[in-house]
Amino acid sequence: MNFDTSEEQELLQETIAQFVANECPATRVREIFDGDTGHDPAFWKGLMELGLGGLVVPERFGGAGLEVIDLALATETLAYGGAPGPFFAHSLAALAIALGGSDAQCERWLPRLASGEALASVAFAEADGCWQPEEWQLAPGLKVSGAKHFVPSAELADLFVVGTAGGGLALVAAGEGVSVEAYEGVDRVRRMGTLRLDAAPAEVLGDAALAARVRDAACVLLAADAFGTAQRLLDMAVDYAKQREQFGVTIGHFQALKHQLADMAVEIEPARGLYWYAAHAFDHVPEDSARYAALAKAHISERAMQLGRDAVEAHGGIGFTWECDVQIWFKRAMLDRAWLGTPDVHRARAADLAGW
Amino acid sequence: MNFDTSEEQELLQETIAQFVANECPATRVREIFDGDTGHDPAFWKGLMELGLGGLVVPERFGGAGLEVIDLALATETLAYGGAPGPFFAHSLAALAIALGGSDAQCERWLPRLASGEALASVAFAEADGCWQPEEWQLAPGLKVSGAKHFVPSAELADLFVVGTAGGGLALVAAGEGVSVEAYEGVDRVRRMGTLRLDAAPAEVLGDAALAARVRDAACVLLAADAFGTAQRLLDMAVDYAKQREQFGVTIGHFQALKHQLADMAVEIEPARGLYWYAAHAFDHVPEDSARYAALAKAHISERAMQLGRDAVEAHGGIGFTWECDVQIWFKRAMLDRAWLGTPDVHRARAADLAGW
Amino acid sequence: MDFSYGPEYDDFRGELKGFLAEHWPAGGGGEGESWEDMVERAARFRAQAVEQGYLLRWVPRQYGGSEQEPDAVKAAIIREEFHRTRAPDEPRGIGLMMLVPTLLERGEEWQKEKFVPATVAGDYKWCQGYSEPGSGSDLASLRTRGELVGDEWVINGQKIWTTNAIDADYMFCLCRTEPDVPKHAGISYLLVPMKQPGVEVRPLKQMNGGQEFNEIFLTDARTPADWIVGKRGEGWLVSRTTLKHERAGIGNALGPVNAFQGVVQLAKKTLRAGRPAIEDPEVRQRLAAIEGYVRSHEYSSHRQTSRAFRGKDLGRVSTMSKLISTNIGSEIAKLSLDLLGDEGMIDPLAQGESAESLGASRSWLTQYMFSLGIAIAGGTANIQRNVIGERGLGLPRDYYAQRSSGK
Amino acid sequence: MDFSYGPEYDDFRGELKGFLAEHWPAGGGGEGESWEDMVERAARFRAQAVEQGYLLRWVPRQYGGSEQEPDAVKAAIIREEFHRTRAPDEPRGIGLMMLVPTLLERGEEWQKEKFVPATVAGDYKWCQGYSEPGSGSDLASLRTRGELVGDEWVINGQKIWTTNAIDADYMFCLCRTEPDVPKHAGISYLLVPMKQPGVEVRPLKQMNGGQEFNEIFLTDARTPADWIVGKRGEGWLVSRTTLKHERAGIGNALGPVNAFQGVVQLAKKTLRAGRPAIEDPEVRQRLAAIEGYVRSHEYSSHRQTSRAFRGKDLGRVSTMSKLISTNIGSEIAKLSLDLLGDEGMIDPLAQGESAESLGASRSWLTQYMFSLGIAIAGGTANIQRNVIGERGLGLPRDYYAQRSSGK
């Protein structure tokens, strides 16, 4: 048994961490957060040059041919660094095509997605919180019409993987019949928009099982993102406790705060194992795949949100200000928690999938 | 507005507290707890001499003619003292007769219940947790047959107020067709038993609304009992923190424990207002009566149970021993919580009654 | 126990109702009344209400108040009737709530005459300068310096968490004036004009986008030598003077009660799988669990009000109001975030078509984040727990706090 | 990532399976086997398993072990196969787990020869005498005295929280032997025969009715002068020697995983309003919420095992296992109490007809209370939080603990 990251995986995480530290340190994250686009083209280009656009794209289409576990590890590291931009949605769209695309579709899109030449996103949510494939209503066909909400980086994307009624997926390229209305999300480094389709040309992507599979991958990646986010929030709170002084000592001396920080750590640390196994199950244990994905998304995004609240409190008044970086990760946790459905939705799914 | 206890009520509580301190201090409570009957006839006789058997019995039947708020205040004080025996069930049975009995029933029973000459109990629960009047199945009639569970002081009682199908009540005297199988409850100062009725002679008590009314009163009294219990658990934990030393200081110096004790206090202290208002509403605000009774029972019995866990932990290893008195009130909280249905049952009822 | 007020107060309520019907009819002005007109009308109304003894009951007549005997029942009746008719209550500013009581108790006669009437009339607006970066609950580490140069204090330093600083005419603040005296003993309570070159106010944006707080930079700011309340070095003591009138120190559960009613409405409005969320058994359980806390707090507060009126000991629960409210606010906020679902991803301050659909949810999202601010604003929860543990439960003082305060 | 063990271990597992099939066939003995026969058969089996290198791998052959190279994968395979076939594992006593590693690392040669083989064979049973009334986590305040009188230590004092003291032949304990040396430095690690007049064992009944713990009263109890491990005054150091073999120091989530499966079964069995409780949406939410913690702990433990095997740093999560397990146990216990409903009012030790119906619930009720004992047994949760905060997160040490230990 070796339930641990390989040397290659550790190198991947280190490389990304180093790249983020150099190219997008907290000061730069802050600039993007306070800016208007939630995107840093140069940083994105750098990520693509590192090969992160094609982690799960097969090698014959210009990718690294890795697995969802690798994508999840990369996601965790990027989230820890507060990386802005479309990584999550782009990777998920590429994964959808890699998993279910026809040869023609793969050939057409995957090399460009892997290289970063094209940017893709996923369009799942319909009105009133209908996120799950079973709930989608948008009619499939060669021309599709309707609205999809909370589409990440909708303004930037060249291609959308769009969920359709009956739990199908379609490929829709930006252009004819496609318009986007962007809005400011609470997470200002990952903007979203509503995708409006008006007889937009579409191609069916994959078979009936694909959408559910992509949803499971999305759960895993959101869990990984939330885990990295929570780790950062914890570390910020701990670091602050070691620096800030009150009554002549650093506040980490106060047992009450020390214990709160310990409780925060206990809440999140072991969850690394949960998202790892959910990713591993996605790749290798089909019977556990959907269930652990749901469990990981529910559990870790809930923990990250609470850790955000705790981290704000641990910072005292300063934690509540716009200037304090805590809010950046706090709001990242808000998105990870709500996107694709709140934790109670996925707990209910996990219970069903457990056969209870 | 005067939402506060009157001088008479304060005197009532002080008198009871003093009586318990003298006649049934913790050492005596411990003897009863470790004994076989969960009852102290001399102490019970003393309570009756104080007039506690007839607090809510009209004066013309030998009682004090007080209200449920007074009974609840007495209940709190007795619970704080850990008083053993049948006070709760006896008072509730007397209240049922006082509220709904015919003149003949009142004349026959109330003077004897007020004086303590006779002892009464209530028989509500049927199999599988059917506690509520709407759920009772025992067929009413002049002869009744069936089983009722978790009947307090069943072995001692001369009279039972028995719930019947359709939400009615019946009076059944000990004797013909009545047998009791007592068992050891987790709360060893308030023993219970199963009441088995085999064509036992019965009289209908009150009209169709009475049972629900008695159930509400039971909720209020259990809430009051749980409040007194929780207060005692809190005080024990605080006292222990002031006495026990570690690392050369009393453990109350440790901020983490101090904050845990503060959180315990915050959990329970304001609930005094809730049970007071529930009792007040029972007496004077019919539209709030059922709802606040359910809310108080759910909220306070839940708090008391958690406070029991916290108090054990605050005592460290010693708190887990049989010798430590914490367990006596811990187990009192367990009974207050489960009797008449667990908190989730009453939360669901409160939500329904709120018209949500 | 009794929620009525008894016959002796019925007359009082009747008179008050008559007064309100006459002077504040039907919720105030007519349609199309301008803001300025409304403000002026409110000021007129307030002056009449003071004249009649309904407002500023605790302030002597000579300083602009109505100087009435404290009476908690009358105070409650006034609060109820003003609330019912939406009549303008006492101005809520920190000047009235904190500075005026301090001046009345510890100020020089000329200070009372100069500052109290103008403050209670709303002409002088105040802000408070206690907190500093790096000294939250630890006043002993206060660093803003005040130096007496000629007949003026010259003040240098920085204050933070100041509300309404931009509009304020004056600040009451704590400065270290006796540099050689340790800890609390070297601090004085000074009154400082805000509209001067040495005072710079910079808004502090909050994580929910609001800007209720400010930083204040003091660079050779000046104030007259006699604008000091109490003696030099007594500032810490002076700052602890608090409102001792009929409304003071009493738990008030209105906030949590209103917030709870709000979240019930949100649950009714929100759909889950096509049906109102409030029909979901789990949501019902959570609501009822929260209501247990809310109603406990509500009736516990009524009890405290009643006891305060009768001069009875409030008991340890009186140390807990802030933390109880914070806890309830936090639970309500968390439930609201679950109810909001997708809308929890939209910036509450966002513009645009999709943002329009937010409607009421927008305020819930702000509230979700604001519940964190509340936890912090009244002193962090941990400070509250210290107070509860030490004053409420009689546990020993914190080692570090004790060492630092020198007590 | 990989949950298989790789081809190199398949042979090992095959051999082990063959061994078990031969020596521990079909779960053990036949029907009607007496207890004594079973015990004897288990002892025979254990001896063979040691001989083959499957048990006591970390104990040198000369002291009764099988002296194998540490191999976490083999250890895991052995654990799995023994668990699957319910074969007798290493005896779980505290003598094997705590005393033997201590003697192997710090004992005199004659001590190893005298005590280790008999202990690993199960012939010597041990109890541990560390805790005292009034000194839980604070060893510096230890009061039991050992005085060297002639060629014997004479020991007076009291120990508490000792498990299995009634059956124990010996106790390893900490005594203050150097009264003039402060704090930790005056403590020695002594081995004391239990069967002597000066040792009185009194069971400590727990609130759930169990009697796992004891008090030990030492009144002029005696032990030879050389039954000391390490030097005089080194006892505190000696007591911190811990098991350093392939199974040590690794998170093990079996307990929480089993408890969780149990509460799922309870929810299936329990009826609510005539239907299985597990169909109740709120129960499903609570179960899934708990499972999030359980599976996190389970796979985090697998990760730690894997890293320990490869000699990699376990990170801060390694300080958290106890508190994580305690928290999970507590949540499971609370849910079980809700599921038990009425049965939560019956004494788990009660007799009688009604008590009969308790069946499986009985153990849940015991468990409900026992979950509190677990929280306390591994050092209270607050001690764990200190460790996590200080060792895991690098926060400063507690003032009082630091002062008391003189470090």
Side-chain angles (χ1 to χ4, degrees):
Chain A
M1 182 180 63
N2 180 26
F3 187 61
D4 194 16
T5 40
S6 65
E7 280 179 29
E8 292 77 10
Q9 288 167 332
E10 279 160 22
L11 184 63
L12 174 72
Q13 288 197 298
E14 280 161 26
T15 305
I16 296 172
Q18 196 57 53
F19 180 76
V20 175
N22 292 337
E23 303 302 320
C24 197
T27 48
R28 179 65 186 144
V29 175
R30 158 68 61 181
E31 286 173 12
I32 306 293
F33 189 90
D34 282 344
D36 289 329
T37 65
H39 184 49
D40 180 342
F43 176 69
W44 178 249
K45 188 156 172 283
L47 288 183
M48 294 303 102
E49 284 164 5
L50 278 180
L52 293 187
L55 280 185
V56 292
V57 168
E59 290 174 78
R60 64 195 168 105
F61 297 121
L66 298 176
E67 299 184 314
V68 164
I69 180 68
D70 305 289
L71 189 52
L73 291 167
T75 300
E76 176 202 332
T77 307
L78 287 166
Y80 186 90
F87 181 76
F88 161 72
H90 181 79
S91 304
L92 194 61
L95 178 69
I97 298 171
L99 287 175
S102 66
D103 281 353
Q105 287 168 332
C106 290
E107 275 163 26
R108 178 164 171 219
W109 286 108
L110 289 181
R112 297 170 62 204
L113 298 183
S115 69
E117 189 192 328
L119 203 156
S121 185
V122 292
F124 287 173
E126 298 181 4
D128 297 327
C130 291
W131 281 98
Q132 309 309 318
E134 312 83 61
E135 299 164 345
W136 294 334
Q137 310 240 340
L138 191 138
L142 294 178
K143 301 270 185 183
V144 292
S145 296
K148 288 281 183 176
H149 303 291
F150 304 104
V151 178
S153 310
E155 284 177 305
L156 303 168
D158 305 294
L159 176 70
F160 298 92
V161 172
V162 177
T164 56
L169 292 176
L171 284 180
V172 176
E176 184 192 339
V178 174
S179 64
V180 165
E181 182 217 334
Y183 33 80
E184 297 192 359
V186 69
D187 179 359
R188 297 178 57 86
V189 303
R190 293 183 296 176
R191 304 289 169 96
M192 294 177 296
T194 288
L195 179 70
R196 298 198 189 279
L197 303 172
D198 181 11
E203 286 176 19
V204 169
L205 176 68
D207 60 15
L210 182 63
R213 193 95 176 105
V214 175
R215 181 256 317 271
D216 295 342
C219 280
V220 171
L221 298 182
L222 289 164
D225 202 279
F227 182 79
T229 301
Q231 287 280 328
R232 181 62 171 256
L233 287 161
L234 172 63
D235 287 353
M236 290 172 99
V238 170
D239 288 348
Y240 188 74
K242 290 176 182 174
Q243 286 158 20
R244 157 87 162 161
E245 293 193 3
Q246 203 142 17
F247 301 116
V249 292
T250 56
I251 58 175
H253 281 81
F254 300 123
Q255 200 190 27
L257 179 61
K258 180 157 65 178
H259 284 201
Q260 284 159 348
L261 294 168
D263 283 334
M264 288 164 66
V266 163
E267 283 289 294
I268 194 61
E269 282 291 345
R272 185 193 304 272
L274 178 59
Y275 103 70
W276 280 13
Y277 183 69
H280 173 75
F282 185 93
D283 294 327
H284 298 291
V285 193
E287 66 273 23
D288 279 349
S289 178
R291 174 161 130 72
Y292 275 86
L295 206 56
K297 153 75 168 139
H299 180 76
I300 302 179
S301 72
E302 190 91 290
R303 297 285 81 69
M305 189 72 262
Q306 183 58 44
L307 224 62
R309 294 186 71 90
D310 296 340
V312 171
E313 265 201 59
H315 278 73
I318 203 75
F320 188 55
T321 63
W322 192 270
E323 280 76 21
C324 178
D325 285 346
V326 168
Q327 67 145 335
I328 296 177
W329 281 267
F330 181 93
K331 290 169 175 177
R332 193 172 186 107
M334 288 182 82
L335 189 144
D336 288 339
R337 182 177 181 286
W339 209 88
L340 202 58
T342 45
D344 53 344
V345 171
H346 292 282
R347 279 194 294 266
R349 290 186 57 239
D352 293 346
L353 290 162
W356 293 340
Chain B
M1 182 178 66
N2 181 26
F3 187 62
D4 195 17
T5 40
S6 65
E7 280 178 28
E8 292 76 14
Q9 288 167 332
E10 279 159 22
L11 184 63
L12 175 70
Q13 289 197 298
E14 280 161 26
T15 305
I16 296 172
Q18 197 56 54
F19 180 77
V20 174
N22 291 338
E23 303 302 319
C24 196
T27 46
R28 178 67 186 145
V29 175
R30 157 67 62 182
E31 285 173 11
I32 306 293
F33 189 90
D34 283 344
D36 290 328
T37 65
H39 184 51
D40 179 341
F43 175 69
W44 178 248
K45 188 156 173 285
L47 288 183
M48 293 303 103
E49 283 164 5
L50 278 181
L52 293 186
L55 279 184
V56 292
V57 168
E59 290 173 78
R60 64 195 167 103
F61 297 121
L66 297 176
E67 299 184 314
V68 164
I69 180 67
D70 305 289
L71 189 51
L73 291 167
T75 300
E76 177 202 331
T77 307
L78 287 167
Y80 186 90
F87 181 76
F88 162 71
H90 181 77
S91 304
L92 194 61
L95 179 69
I97 297 169
L99 286 175
S102 66
D103 281 354
Q105 288 168 332
C106 288
E107 275 163 27
R108 179 163 170 219
W109 287 109
L110 288 182
R112 295 169 62 203
L113 297 183
S115 69
E117 189 193 330
L119 202 157
S121 185
V122 292
F124 287 173
E126 297 182 5
D128 296 326
C130 291
W131 280 99
Q132 310 307 318
E134 312 84 62
E135 298 165 344
W136 294 333
Q137 309 240 342
L138 190 137
L142 294 178
K143 300 270 184 181
V144 292
S145 296
K148 288 280 183 177
H149 303 291
F150 303 105
V151 177
S153 311
E155 284 177 305
L156 303 168
D158 304 296
L159 175 69
F160 299 92
V161 173
V162 177
T164 56
L169 292 176
L171 284 181
V172 176
E176 185 192 339
V178 174
S179 64
V180 165
E181 182 215 337
Y183 32 80
E184 295 192 2
V186 69
D187 179 0
R188 296 178 57 86
V189 303
R190 293 183 295 175
R191 304 291 169 95
M192 293 177 296
T194 289
L195 178 70
R196 297 197 189 280
L197 303 172
D198 183 10
E203 285 176 20
V204 170
L205 176 68
D207 61 17
L210 182 63
R213 194 91 179 108
V214 175
R215 180 256 317 271
D216 295 343
C219 280
V220 171
L221 299 182
L222 289 165
D225 202 281
F227 183 79
T229 301
Q231 286 280 329
R232 181 61 172 258
L233 287 161
L234 172 62
D235 287 352
M236 290 172 100
V238 171
D239 288 348
Y240 187 74
K242 290 177 181 171
Q243 288 160 16
R244 157 90 163 159
E245 293 193 5
Q246 203 143 18
F247 300 118
V249 292
T250 56
I251 58 175
H253 280 81
F254 300 122
Q255 201 191 26
L257 178 61
K258 180 158 64 178
H259 284 201
Q260 285 159 347
L261 293 168
D263 283 334
M264 288 164 66
V266 164
E267 283 288 297
I268 193 60
E269 281 292 346
R272 186 194 304 273
L274 179 58
Y275 102 69
W276 278 15
Y277 183 68
H280 173 75
F282 185 92
D283 294 327
H284 297 291
V285 193
E287 66 273 24
D288 279 349
S289 178
R291 173 160 131 72
Y292 276 85
L295 207 55
K297 153 76 167 136
H299 181 76
I300 303 179
S301 73
E302 191 91 289
R303 298 285 81 68
M305 189 72 261
Q306 184 58 45
L307 224 63
R309 294 185 71 91
D310 296 340
V312 171
E313 265 202 56
H315 278 74
I318 203 76
F320 189 53
T321 62
W322 192 270
E323 279 76 20
C324 178
D325 285 346
V326 168
Q327 66 144 338
I328 296 177
W329 280 267
F330 181 93
K331 290 171 175 177
R332 192 170 187 108
M334 288 183 83
L335 189 144
D336 288 338
R337 183 178 181 286
W339 208 87
L340 202 59
T342 46
D344 53 344
V345 171
H346 292 281
R347 279 194 295 265
R349 290 186 58 239
D352 294 346
L353 290 162
W356 292 341
Chain C
M1 276 171 212
D2 191 358
F3 279 93
S4 69
Y5 291 92
E8 73 254 54
Y9 288 105
D10 286 352
D11 289 351
F12 180 78
R13 190 189 294 266
E15 284 163 24
L16 174 56
K17 282 187 162 180
F19 169 81
L20 288 167
E22 184 182 342
H23 294 92
W24 195 254
E31 300 249 338
E33 181 183 33
S34 75
W35 172 255
E36 290 74 16
D37 288 351
M38 206 271 279
V39 168
E40 200 194 310
R41 201 161 49 81
R44 252 195 337 268
F45 168 82
R46 273 210 188 93
Q48 290 160 329
V50 170
E51 183 59 35
Q52 289 296 317
Y54 296 135
L55 292 182
L56 297 173
R57 295 165 47 84
W58 52 285
V59 178
R61 289 225 172 242
Q62 66 187 114
Y63 306 124
S66 63
E67 198 170 351
Q68 302 289 313
E69 282 293 303
D71 185 327
V73 177
K74 285 188 180 171
I77 291 172
I78 293 167
R79 191 165 49 213
E80 283 174 14
E81 294 298 328
F82 273 60
H83 185 76
R84 197 174 54 75
T85 57
R86 299 188 188 180
D89 205 341
E90 293 177 7
R92 297 219 157 261
I94 202 162
L96 184 67
M97 299 302 285
M98 296 195 66
L99 176 72
V100 170
T102 304
L103 284 177
L104 289 178
E105 187 164 330
R106 299 182 180 269
E108 305 281 338
E109 185 52 37
W110 76 263
Q111 292 174 330
K112 297 185 198 179
E113 286 169 12
K114 173 169 174 52
F115 294 114
V116 176
T119 301
V120 303
D123 296 334
Y124 284 1
K125 294 194 183 62
W126 292 83
C127 64
Q128 179 199 57
Y130 289 0
S131 294
E132 298 185 1
S135 91
S137 45
D138 176 18
L139 281 182
S141 68
L142 212 71
R143 276 182 301 216
T144 294
R145 301 278 291 262
E147 198 183 346
L148 198 56
V149 178
D151 57 358
E152 284 188 323
W153 293 103
V154 179
I155 304 165
N156 285 283
Q158 189 185 344
K159 296 291 180 181
I160 197 169
W161 307 124
T162 310
T163 51
N164 303 314
I166 290 180
D167 294 333
D169 305 297
Y170 301 101
M171 167 168 66
F172 55 96
C173 68
L174 295 175
C175 301
R176 189 166 295 285
T177 56
E178 324 299 307
D180 305 330
V181 179
K183 321 253 173 182
H184 290 147
I187 296 171
S188 296
Y189 188 105
L190 302 181
L191 311 179
V192 181
M194 290 292 284
K195 311 298 186 195
Q196 60 166 314
V199 175
E200 188 199 346
V201 176
R202 207 178 289 167
L204 255 181
K205 192 172 167 189
Q206 297 148 215
M207 66 183 292
N208 65 353
Q211 298 199 354
E212 278 89 22
F213 301 106
N214 302 278
E215 289 178 288
I216 299 180
F217 297 86
L218 300 156
T219 313
D220 289 340
R222 280 151 200 282
T223 201
D226 60 352
W227 286 32
I228 177 172
V229 184
K231 299 210 180 77
R232 288 175 67 143
E234 282 187 3
W236 186 73
L237 195 67
V238 173
S239 74
R240 291 170 64 94
T241 313
T242 49
L243 202 54
K244 290 190 189 66
H245 71 71
E246 58 204 10
R247 292 195 195 179
I250 292 169
N252 184 333
L254 263 184
V257 167
N258 288 338
F260 178 70
Q261 285 165 349
V263 82
V264 169
Q265 293 308 315
L266 183 65
K268 287 182 175 173
K269 191 186 68 119
T270 306
L271 297 184
R272 288 202 164 187
R275 304 184 56 174
I278 203 162
E279 295 179 10
D280 179 312
E282 198 213 350
V283 171
R284 295 171 83 75
Q285 287 285 329
R286 286 177 71 183
L287 281 173
I290 294 173
E291 186 168 19
Y293 287 103
V294 171
R295 301 302 171 197
S296 292
H297 187 36
E298 181 179 9
Y299 290 100
S300 176
S301 298
H302 286 316
R303 173 176 170 273
Q304 288 176 69
T305 306
S306 300
R307 291 179 74 86
F309 167 52
R310 291 162 71 198
K312 289 163 83 175
D313 177 32
L314 300 188
R316 51 195 182 192
V317 75
S318 65
T319 59
M320 302 174 191
S321 282
K322 273 186 188 164
L323 190 55
I324 293 167
S325 291
T326 303
N327 288 348
I328 291 173
S330 167
E331 289 308 308
I332 290 176
K334 286 186 216 167
L335 176 55
S336 76
L337 193 68
D338 282 334
L339 293 170
L340 287 177
D342 289 352
E343 294 177 357
M345 287 186 286
I346 295 186
D347 187 336
L349 302 177
Q351 307 295 324
E353 189 185 339
S354 298
E356 291 305 308
S357 69
L358 270 174
S361 311
R362 185 192 296 266
S363 66
W364 276 106
L365 196 52
T366 314
Q367 175 67 23
Y368 175 72
M369 288 185 240
F370 196 65
S371 68
L372 283 160
I374 290 172
I376 291 160
T380 61
N382 281 347
I383 304 287
Q384 296 297 324
R385 292 189 185 99
N386 270 350
V387 171
I388 296 165
E390 293 166 15
R391 279 193 246 152
L393 305 179
L395 293 165
R397 273 200 77 185
D398 252 21
Y399 170 73
Y400 296 110
Q402 191 162 10
R403 189 183 64 177
S404 173
S405 72
K407 298 185 178 202
Chain D
M1 279 169 209
D2 191 359
F3 279 94
S4 70
Y5 291 92
E8 72 254 56
Y9 289 106
D10 287 353
D11 289 351
F12 179 78
R13 190 189 292 269
E15 284 163 25
L16 173 56
K17 281 187 162 180
F19 169 81
L20 287 167
E22 183 182 342
H23 293 91
W24 194 254
E31 300 250 338
E33 181 184 32
S34 74
W35 172 255
E36 289 75 16
D37 287 351
M38 206 270 281
V39 168
E40 200 194 308
R41 199 160 52 80
R44 253 194 336 267
F45 169 81
R46 273 209 187 94
Q48 290 159 329
V50 170
E51 182 60 36
Q52 291 295 317
Y54 296 135
L55 292 182
L56 297 174
R57 294 162 51 82
W58 52 284
V59 179
R61 288 221 174 248
Q62 66 187 114
Y63 306 125
S66 63
E67 198 170 354
Q68 303 289 313
E69 281 293 301
D71 186 327
V73 177
K74 285 187 180 170
I77 291 172
I78 293 167
R79 192 165 50 213
E80 284 173 14
E81 294 297 328
F82 272 62
H83 184 76
R84 198 175 53 75
T85 55
R86 299 186 186 182
D89 204 340
E90 292 177 6
R92 297 221 155 257
I94 201 162
L96 184 67
M97 299 302 285
M98 297 195 63
L99 176 71
V100 169
T102 304
L103 284 178
L104 289 178
E105 187 164 329
R106 300 184 178 267
E108 305 281 336
E109 186 52 40
W110 74 264
Q111 292 174 331
K112 298 184 198 181
E113 287 169 11
K114 172 167 175 55
F115 293 114
V116 176
T119 301
V120 303
D123 295 335
Y124 284 180
K125 295 195 182 60
W126 291 83
C127 64
Q128 179 199 58
Y130 288 180
S131 295
E132 298 186 1
S135 92
S137 45
D138 176 19
L139 281 182
S141 68
L142 211 72
R143 277 184 299 217
T144 294
R145 301 279 292 264
E147 197 184 348
L148 198 57
V149 178
D151 57 357
E152 284 188 324
W153 294 102
V154 179
I155 304 165
N156 284 282
Q158 189 185 345
K159 295 291 178 180
I160 197 169
W161 307 123
T162 310
T163 50
N164 303 315
I166 290 180
D167 294 333
D169 304 297
Y170 302 101
M171 167 167 66
F172 54 96
C173 68
L174 295 174
C175 302
R176 191 166 292 285
T177 56
E178 323 301 305
D180 305 330
V181 180
K183 322 251 170 184
H184 290 147
I187 294 170
S188 297
Y189 188 105
L190 302 182
L191 310 178
V192 181
M194 289 293 284
K195 309 299 185 196
Q196 59 167 313
V199 176
E200 187 199 348
V201 176
R202 208 179 289 169
L204 256 181
K205 193 172 165 190
Q206 297 148 215
M207 66 184 289
N208 66 352
Q211 299 201 354
E212 279 89 20
F213 301 106
N214 302 277
E215 289 178 287
I216 299 181
F217 297 86
L218 300 156
T219 313
D220 289 340
R222 278 150 201 280
T223 200
D226 60 352
W227 284 31
I228 178 172
V229 184
K231 299 210 180 76
R232 287 175 68 143
E234 283 187 4
W236 187 73
L237 195 69
V238 173
S239 74
R240 292 171 62 93
T241 313
T242 49
L243 203 54
K244 291 190 190 62
H245 71 72
E246 59 202 10
R247 290 194 195 181
I250 293 171
N252 184 332
L254 264 183
V257 167
N258 288 340
F260 178 70
Q261 286 166 348
V263 82
V264 169
Q265 292 310 314
L266 182 65
K268 288 183 174 173
K269 190 186 68 115
T270 305
L271 296 185
R272 287 201 166 188
R275 303 183 57 174
I278 202 160
E279 294 179 11
D280 180 312
E282 197 213 349
V283 171
R284 294 171 83 76
Q285 286 286 329
R286 288 178 69 183
L287 281 172
I290 294 173
E291 186 169 19
Y293 287 103
V294 171
R295 301 300 171 198
S296 292
H297 186 37
E298 181 179 9
Y299 290 100
S300 175
S301 299
H302 286 317
R303 174 176 169 272
Q304 289 175 69
T305 306
S306 300
R307 290 180 74 84
F309 168 52
R310 291 162 70 198
K312 289 164 81 175
D313 176 33
L314 300 190
R316 53 194 180 191
V317 75
S318 65
T319 59
M320 302 174 191
S321 281
K322 271 187 190 165
L323 190 54
I324 293 167
S325 291
T326 302
N327 288 349
I328 293 173
S330 167
E331 288 308 307
I332 290 176
K334 286 185 215 169
L335 176 55
S336 75
L337 193 67
D338 282 333
L339 292 170
L340 287 177
D342 289 352
E343 294 176 357
M345 286 186 286
I346 296 186
D347 187 336
L349 303 177
Q351 307 295 324
E353 190 185 336
S354 298
E356 291 305 309
S357 70
L358 270 174
S361 310
R362 185 193 295 266
S363 66
W364 276 106
L365 197 54
T366 314
Q367 174 68 21
Y368 175 73
M369 289 186 239
F370 196 65
S371 69
L372 284 160
I374 291 171
I376 293 161
T380 61
N382 282 347
I383 303 287
Q384 296 297 322
R385 291 189 185 99
N386 269 350
V387 171
I388 295 164
E390 294 166 16
R391 280 194 245 154
L393 305 179
L395 293 165
R397 272 200 77 187
D398 252 21
Y399 169 75
Y400 297 109
Q402 190 163 11
R403 188 183 65 177
S404 173
S405 71
K407 298 188 177 196

